[in-house]
Amino acid sequence: MAAGAGLGLGELTAAIAGGTSPVVGVGTQLIDLAPGPAKDWAVKNLGTADKPILVGGVLAAVAIFALAAGAIGVKRPRVALGMTVLLGLLAILAAATGRSLASNGFVRVLPGVITLLVATIGMWLVLRAGGYLTRTKPEAEAPEGFDRRKFLATTFALGAAGVAGGAVARFLPDGVDEATRRGIRLPVPASRAKPLPAGVSAEVAGVSPFTTPNKSFYRVDTLLTVPKVDPRNWELRIHGMVDRELRLNFADLLNRRVIERDITLTCVSNEVGGPYVGNARWIGVPIAEILREAGVQDGADAVKSTSVDGLTIGTPLQALTDGRDAIFAIGMNGEPLPFDHGFPVRMVVPGLYGYVSATKWIVDFEVTRFDDFSAYWTDRGWSVEAPIKTSSRIDVPKGFARIKPGPAVAAGVAWAQHRGIAKVEVQVDDGPWQPAQLADEAGIDIWRQWTFRWNATPGNHTLTVRATDRTGQVQTADRAAPRPNGSSGLHNTVVMVE
């Protein structure tokens, strides 16, 4: 009960003051300190459920620790008090040393301080109410003069404080609301996306939609809570190896020349045939134009971009200046960026995996050299540079689908951003590679859908797909895990014809 009161009121303090939530602070530290294989396993097997599971795990660990402290407190009250202090110090340490949305150091640790004080005082009150601090016979089940009513009243009061604090914290606004986001009027693009060809979709039930809806677009990041940055207070600093440092607010970006482009993004954590790829229509300011205005100095070869929570990403400078449509995105599929996807501003760079290019909630943009810094993911064993590999996926039929003999269809998507897809082939069992029919191409930065029609004979069959990009590079069959620079191998699916 004492620990619950401390956590509940700590969460309430975080909601009011904007500091680091004790649970989020500890959870974020666990994310940052977790070994690479553990992170990879979580992304592969838990997907977007990894974050609520982690939060639940932190709460469960706190509950077990607190139960142990309470049990020890029956005979060793001072040890129980020390354990409670340790719990509060852990929350403070996590906030002080980890990534946080709070820039002010005191505000950052304030929720942890409240957790420490409330939990420790709460434990002391419970122990005093039960007479455990003054007992003369430690072996007795209950101290002399034990007042059950007072003890229960104290514990339940602490429990009520914890529940009330946590509940109020959940309902308090944690930044700008959805109405504010939707109320932003995006500028008319000076350069619109090309009209999509009529035959851009495979028109087969079960194939991924050509444009991924915002609610279905994958989200892979390290944050337990989504930042809700107020665009009125947002600012992007462009500095480092430039002739002129720039500071741009959100209104500055809205008043600049913006372009509209269809661009497919891929997460480096995507396994062969995995779901972490999506296509959207983005609106944003060309990064190359900002860099020209700032004046890039000789010797620079990289940009270190920083998110509002302090996460850093390193991007090759060449990919931002070689003519591709790299942008500071402010819109996604006809609306301002969703909170989950980087509102108010994020980076979008065609052809690179997200961990080296797609900084969400960006606030800092430093032109530098790769030799002079290391970024969050490269510190954890991922490659410094990571162009997206030529890949393909079977969407239909699903694995172990049951189909009838006769004419059958397989379909899916292929991608090789900034190179384009030239050919897709399908193999049935150990037979020859056969060409699939490609949907019309919308651009080299966009995935391409495909269809393969075949005669299904009774029995189990394995369908395998491979793509060839416009440079002539055939998708490799060599199997590789996502770490350190993206997965490789051929996607296949088994169907039962009966």
Side-chain angles (χ1 to χ4, degrees):
M1 292 297 186
L7 280 181
L9 294 178
E11 293 292 321
L12 179 60
T13 304
I16 294 173
T20 300
S21 149
V23 174
V24 170
V26 172
T28 301
Q29 286 281 29
L30 290 176
I31 291 173
D32 292 349
L33 298 175
K39 280 193 179 73
D40 300 344
W41 182 91
V43 172
K44 178 181 178 180
N45 295 284
L46 302 179
T48 55
D50 59 347
K51 296 172 178 64
I53 289 175
L54 178 58
V55 170
V58 171
L59 291 174
V62 170
I64 292 171
F65 186 87
L67 286 169
I72 291 172
V74 171
K75 293 186 177 182
R76 294 185 173 85
R78 288 173 178 77
V79 174
L81 282 170
M83 292 176 68
T84 309
V85 170
L86 181 62
L87 191 65
L89 289 175
L90 181 63
I92 294 174
L93 181 64
T97 60
R99 292 180 291 121
S100 173
L101 301 180
S103 56
N104 183 286
F106 175 73
V107 172
R108 174 184 293 194
V109 301
L110 181 59
V113 172
I114 296 299
T115 297
L116 169 64
L117 293 176
V118 172
T120 305
I121 293 173
M123 179 65 91
W124 180 80
L125 289 173
V126 172
L127 293 171
R128 189 183 71 163
Y132 295 106
L133 289 173
T134 57
R135 69 189 305 171
T136 57
K137 298 179 180 180
E139 70 280 359
E141 291 186 5
E144 297 178 5
F146 178 76
D147 188 336
R148 183 179 300 274
R149 181 175 297 178
K150 183 178 180 182
F151 177 79
L152 291 176
T154 302
T155 54
F156 280 112
L158 288 170
V163 170
V168 173
R170 180 171 293 274
F171 287 102
L172 286 176
D174 55 349
V176 296
D177 57 16
E178 180 66 12
T180 300
R181 185 190 72 84
R182 288 192 172 275
I184 293 173
R185 185 174 181 179
L186 295 175
V188 176
S191 172
R192 288 194 175 275
K194 295 179 180 179
L196 296 178
V200 78
S201 296
E203 303 298 340
V204 174
V207 175
S208 304
F210 179 79
T211 298
T212 310
N214 289 354
K215 289 184 178 180
S216 303
F217 209 95
Y218 73 88
R219 177 197 165 201
V220 178
D221 54 55
T222 62
L223 291 178
L224 293 177
T225 56
V226 176
K228 294 185 177 179
V229 180
D230 190 336
R232 294 165 296 188
N233 301 327
W234 177 86
E235 184 181 71
L236 176 63
R237 181 188 177 205
I238 296 95
H239 63 108
M241 297 178 66
V242 295
D243 297 330
R244 293 170 295 280
E245 179 174 318
L246 302 177
R247 290 181 180 268
L248 304 175
N249 58 37
F250 191 63
D252 292 331
L253 289 187
L254 293 179
N255 291 325
R256 284 178 172 265
R257 174 182 175 271
V258 300
I259 63 174
E260 178 185 63
R261 295 292 185 269
D262 291 298
I263 299 171
T264 298
L265 300 186
T266 308
C267 179
V268 73
S269 297
N270 200 41
E271 297 278 350
V272 173
Y276 300 137
V277 56
N279 183 59
R281 176 160 288 188
W282 307 91
I283 292 177
V285 176
I287 294 176
E289 295 181 5
I290 301 292
L291 288 171
R292 280 197 295 271
E293 183 176 334
V296 176
Q297 296 175 357
D298 292 340
D301 64 4
V303 165
K304 182 178 77 170
S305 52
T306 306
S307 174
V308 68
D309 69 314
L311 182 139
T312 56
I313 282 179
T315 307
L317 182 62
Q318 181 181 2
L320 305 176
T321 57
D322 63 1
R324 72 183 74 190
D325 294 314
I327 59 173
F328 289 124
I330 57 175
M332 180 180 181
N333 288 334
E335 64 177 86
L337 287 176
F339 291 119
D340 282 0
H341 296 290
F343 178 84
V345 182
R346 66 169 294 167
M347 287 175 62
V348 171
V349 183
L352 301 181
Y353 286 117
Y355 85 97
V356 294
S357 66
T359 310
K360 296 187 284 188
W361 312 289
I362 185 172
V363 294
D364 193 85
F365 190 80
E366 180 184 2
V367 179
T368 181
R369 290 184 290 257
F370 278 119
D371 289 343
D372 295 340
F373 78 100
S374 60
Y376 180 90
W377 290 112
T378 53
D379 284 341
R380 288 158 176 80
W382 295 83
S383 299
V384 173
E385 299 189 42
I388 295 173
K389 298 178 180 179
T390 301
S391 304
S392 55
R393 185 181 72 199
I394 300 171
D395 288 347
V396 178
K398 299 296 184 183
F400 301 104
R402 297 177 184 272
I403 63 175
K404 295 181 179 180
V409 63
V413 290
W415 59 92
Q417 291 92 312
H418 211 55
R419 298 184 303 281
I421 294 294
K423 179 169 63 174
V424 171
E425 299 168 289
V426 176
Q427 182 186 53
V428 181
D429 299 323
D430 294 324
W433 287 100
Q434 303 177 58
Q437 181 181 353
L438 289 174
D440 290 344
E441 186 176 50
I444 63 172
D445 294 331
I446 310 167
W447 62 8
R448 198 167 184 185
Q449 300 194 350
W450 58 268
T451 305
F452 175 73
R453 301 188 183 279
W454 61 296
N455 185 46
T457 57
N460 294 343
H461 297 283
T462 300
L463 303 178
T464 306
V465 64
R466 72 180 183 186
T468 302
D469 65 33
R470 290 203 171 278
T471 70
Q473 181 67 46
V474 180
Q475 182 179 347
T476 180
D478 295 336
R479 201 82 176 186
R483 185 181 296 270
N485 60 3
S487 65
S488 67
L490 303 181
H491 186 219
N492 59 47
T493 189
V494 175
V495 295
M496 294 175 282
V497 184
E498 54 187 30

